[in-house]
Amino acid sequence: MHPPRVILHVDMDAFYAAVEVRENPELAGKPLIIGHEGRRGVVSTCSYEARKFGVRSAMPSVLASRLCPDAIWLPGRMELYIAVSATLRRMFDEEAPVVEPLSIDEAFLDVTGLAAGLAHGAAIARVLKDRIRNEQRLTASVGVAPNKFLAKLASDLEKPDGLCVFPKDDVARRLWPLPVERLWGVGPKTAEVLRRGGLRSIGDIAGVSETGLAALVGPRMAAHLAALARGEDDRPVSASRESKSISEERTYADDLTDAREIDRELLARAEGVARSLRRHGLLARTVHLKVRTGDFETAMRSRTLHEPTDLADPISDGVRALLRARIELGGRGIRLLGVGVSALTATGSVPESLFPDPGTERSRKLAAASDAVNDKLGEDVLIRASLLRRKSREASSLPTVD
Ligand code: TTP
Ligand code: MG
């Protein structure tokens, strides 16, 4: 079962046009069109002032000129927009644990691990909008909802400069009156098929039996559309491949040779990584091991875990297995050990097991208790007994208790 998620969809307002206005404030408040004015040109986007005249993205420039003869035209500067987009992306990464960029000016943010509910999600959205305004002098519209479909829909409902919270309870009132085209995956063709079947609004789809819907669009599409019309969408927010990783490594003054000591060091690094995951509300699916031997040869190995985790034991088990099976030490000592994780997802976006393993449950409770104490005291006062036993052979930040 999924615990309720908190998803943000951020979409910049009139993005290319807004960047141009920022660069040249004289353009503020005027109808501005980004695109080539010529006979074969099309509109990339336009300011909200130009939209009052009916100008829209992808419209032939000839038509746009006719609708809004007094508009100012600019050809657009892609490199500039890409640079602004990258800056915004870094800001999103700072504010949310999992960020899935969708296009140059929009992204999904999963803040389930940080926010207790949609109201808290809205507070995060407010912080983000303030940062965008203060640091970039641009405005964004943000949708806050329990899934991607509703969040994306919501970001569009109060544009520009909007902040729209869309709880499941609003589905009948705010989703059902909208046309079927607003459903994810419904293009002009499917919309036409649905219309011929008498289904024009999303409410019409919610009201028809799934068998009736399947007769029109086939069983797979019917199941998909019926779920969306109920406001349901299970797609996870998935960060792009090059996205974040968390790691900890340590170099030793004397090479490590003792197997038990190496195990304890791996566990200590795994503890640090796991704590960092929990602090950021993340789960990791891939573990990484980095080993540098006394003769300065460095090896890196990775493996995928059976299920995503934020606990030290599975991470430590994973890297120990990598060390045993995939690293050839050949009698050499270890100068550096690093433990890392990647393939991160937000806590809460992964279904919880129906029958949780009692051992895992115990570890989770223990971890939560130790996190609470550590957060309060601001230092690592609680460490496992197996770490306490290790000889302190390097300047460690972990205090040992005898
Ligand atoms: P959008 O987010 O679709 O549009 P927008 O940001 O300009 O306006 P809105 O306030 O409605 O979100 O697209 C982002 C940018 O992508 C847009 O500024 C220009 C570019 N773009 C095109 O070049 N051609 C197109 O057809 C569309 C839709 C967008
Ligand atoms: Mg936009």
Side-chain angles (χ1 to χ4, degrees):
M1 236 182 55
H2 279 294
R5 295 185 292 159
V6 183
I7 312 290
L8 271 50
H9 178 259
V10 185
D11 188 332
M12 303 301 293
D13 302 318
F15 186 49
Y16 297 180
V19 172
E20 293 296 345
V21 171
R22 175 184 87 176
E23 299 298 303
N24 177 7
E26 281 181 18
L27 297 170
K30 296 181 180 158
L32 170 66
I33 299 177
I34 309 299
H36 291 280
E37 212 180 344
R39 218 163 38 86
R40 291 214 298 268
V42 291
V43 172
S44 286
T45 190
C46 61
S47 64
Y48 276 77
E49 288 80 2
R51 293 184 197 196
K52 285 185 202 142
F53 295 85
V55 181
R56 294 288 180 269
S57 287
M59 178 180 274
S61 298
V62 178
L63 176 55
S65 299
R66 214 177 302 144
L67 291 170
C68 187
D70 295 332
I72 298 164
W73 287 75
L74 288 173
R77 294 183 274 178
M78 238 12 245
E79 322 77 65
L80 175 60
Y81 312 144
I82 289 170
V84 176
S85 178
T87 310
L88 290 167
R89 172 72 201 281
R90 279 194 292 278
M91 198 187 287
F92 298 163
D93 280 338
E94 283 163 17
E95 298 298 335
V98 184
V99 178
E100 179 182 353
L102 271 192
S103 75
I104 191 162
D105 84 324
E106 58 181 321
F108 284 114
L109 281 55
D110 189 331
V111 296
T112 308
L114 304 177
L118 292 186
H120 196 170
I124 296 174
R126 168 66 52 205
V127 168
L128 203 59
K129 279 169 62 71
D130 287 347
R131 282 196 65 183
I132 293 171
R133 183 190 306 279
N134 296 335
E135 296 171 30
Q136 291 298 311
R137 283 178 292 133
L138 295 170
T139 64
S141 294
V142 185
V144 184
N147 61 50
K148 281 172 132 179
F149 169 59
L150 293 179
K152 187 159 163 68
L153 191 90
S155 72
D156 208 40
L157 288 179
E158 293 171 15
K159 252 183 181 300
D161 202 12
L163 200 182
C164 176
V165 179
F166 202 119
K168 227 16 210 314
D169 291 348
D170 281 5
V171 162
R173 187 170 61 84
R174 297 189 87 176
L175 179 65
W176 287 356
L178 300 174
V180 292
E181 282 91 343
R182 296 296 286 274
L183 293 174
W184 164 57
V186 175
K189 270 193 198 156
T190 310
E192 181 51 33
V193 171
L194 292 168
R195 240 191 320 274
R196 272 193 267 119
L199 307 175
R200 287 168 186 282
S201 73
I202 297 177
D204 292 339
I205 295 199
V208 79
S209 77
E210 212 172 298
T211 331
L213 198 55
L216 289 172
V217 294
R220 281 187 54 164
M221 187 66 162
H224 168 77
L225 295 183
L228 290 183
R230 290 192 300 267
E232 292 163 10
D233 175 14
D234 275 346
R235 288 173 295 162
V237 174
S238 46
S240 51
R241 284 178 66 80
E242 75 277 15
S243 78
K244 289 186 223 170
S245 59
I246 293 174
S247 64
E248 256 194 43
E249 62 179 49
R250 184 159 294 180
T251 306
Y252 305 96
D254 301 316
D255 292 352
L256 304 180
T257 47
D258 179 63
R260 267 172 314 175
E261 184 161 19
I262 292 168
D263 280 355
R264 281 197 294 269
E265 284 302 308
L266 288 176
L267 179 58
R269 299 294 83 72
E271 291 272 12
V273 166
R275 194 172 312 137
S276 185
L277 282 169
R278 293 192 295 271
R279 199 170 287 152
H280 290 95
L282 293 168
L283 297 171
R285 206 181 355 253
T286 306
V287 296
H288 304 266
L289 169 70
K290 179 175 170 185
V291 176
R292 181 170 299 147
T293 44
D295 55 356
F296 279 91
E297 195 190 317
T298 306
M300 308 234 253
R301 303 283 183 269
S302 314
R303 69 182 282 171
T304 302
L305 300 172
H306 294 301
E307 53 184 352
T309 190
D310 58 2
L311 296 173
D313 283 333
I315 297 171
S316 159
D317 291 348
V319 289
R320 280 213 312 262
L322 283 170
L323 182 63
R324 303 263 139 77
R326 311 250 328 263
I327 302 261
E328 199 57 62
L329 284 176
R332 292 171 296 177
I334 291 175
R335 166 172 290 262
L336 174 151
L337 273 179
V339 172
V341 289
S342 66
L344 310 181
T345 49
T347 310
S349 64
V350 177
E352 276 181 53
S353 168
L354 282 177
F355 304 102
D357 170 44
T360 306
E361 279 307 285
R362 210 171 319 115
S363 306
R364 193 170 298 286
K365 287 198 183 120
L366 203 63
S370 111
D371 287 348
V373 174
N374 286 333
D375 285 351
K376 202 155 173 216
L377 301 181
E379 58 182 321
D380 298 326
V381 293
L382 273 186
I383 40 176
R384 292 171 177 228
S386 58
L387 297 182
L388 297 181
R389 267 182 262 117
R390 96 190 131 82
K391 280 186 291 176
S392 184
R393 34 190 316 173
E394 92 286 348
S396 167
S397 60
L398 291 168
T400 52
V401 183
D402 292 316

